[in-house]
């Protein structure tokens, strides 16, 4: 089964089963608007996190210079850990302020909360020009 030879009948059978499963999932995605919204929301969260880890990557411009897969995996995991630590450290503040403002009667939309609760700036400190 480990062989991906086109002549191997088991390989061909599993390939066709995989294609059928992928087709069913694609048809579900196309026909279900709520599934598309959930997938898009999840994708946006992941992309936002990846952009943040790129923003945090400070050594060598974020380029992993090693060709060793173990070293590459370690670099990615450590950058993700750093990102999670920064988010954990900075996240409670905006939520506490939001709760205080809501207690005072302020109303927030989803877009407002996204802007308030973003735990990182949009531009990297090296890209910000100093005040004149």
């Amino acid at each position: 089964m480990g062989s991906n030879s086109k002549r191997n009948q088991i390989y061909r059978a599993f390939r066709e089963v995989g294609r059928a499963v992928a087709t069913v999932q694609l048809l579900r995605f196309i026909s279900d608007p709520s599934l598309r919204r959930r997938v898009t929301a999840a994708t946006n969260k992941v992309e936002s996190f990846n952009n943040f880890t790129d923003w945090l990557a400070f050594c060598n411009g974020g380029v992993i210079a090693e060709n060793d897969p173990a070293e590459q995996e370690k670099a990615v995991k450590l950058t993700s850990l750093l990102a999670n630590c920064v988010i954990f450290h900075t996240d409670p503040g905006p939520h506490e302020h939001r709760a205080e403002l809501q207690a005072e009667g302020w109303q927030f939309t989803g877009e407002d909360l996204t802007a308030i609760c973003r735990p990182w700036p949009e531009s990297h400190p090296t890209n910000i020009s100093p005040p004149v």
Side-chain angles (χ1 to χ4, degrees):
M1 281 215 319
S3 171
N4 57 356
S5 168
K6 305 276 188 234
R7 295 181 185 161
N8 186 335
Q9 290 182 1
I10 294 174
Y11 167 80
R12 290 196 320 236
F14 277 121
R15 184 183 61 195
E16 293 306 318
V17 168
R19 287 177 178 171
V21 169
T23 301
V24 169
Q25 292 300 327
L26 184 58
L27 290 172
R28 277 189 57 221
F29 179 80
I30 291 170
S31 65
D32 187 356
S34 67
L35 176 62
R36 285 196 307 268
R37 280 192 297 276
R38 288 194 320 264
V39 168
T40 301
T43 303
N44 289 341
K45 286 179 187 177
V46 170
E47 287 300 320
S48 179
F49 182 79
N50 288 339
N51 289 338
F52 181 52
T53 57
D54 289 345
W55 181 83
L56 276 177
F58 53 87
C59 184
N60 202 18
V63 175
I64 301 172
E66 298 287 331
N67 278 338
D68 181 19
E71 290 298 317
Q72 291 173 346
E73 183 178 2
K74 183 168 58 171
V76 169
K77 284 184 179 182
L78 290 174
T79 304
S80 295
L81 177 64
L82 176 63
N84 285 322
C85 289
V86 170
I87 290 170
F88 178 76
H89 177 73
T90 59
D91 200 34
H95 289 292
E96 290 170 4
H97 295 300
R98 178 192 49 141
E100 291 170 8
L101 291 172
Q102 282 179 327
E104 292 175 8
W106 288 81
Q107 298 293 319
F108 297 101
T109 66
E111 291 175 359
D112 295 333
L113 293 177
T114 300
I116 291 171
C117 298
R118 173 160 289 141
W120 61 85
E122 287 294 314
S123 61
H124 198 278
T126 59
N127 297 335
I128 299 173
S129 357
V132 180

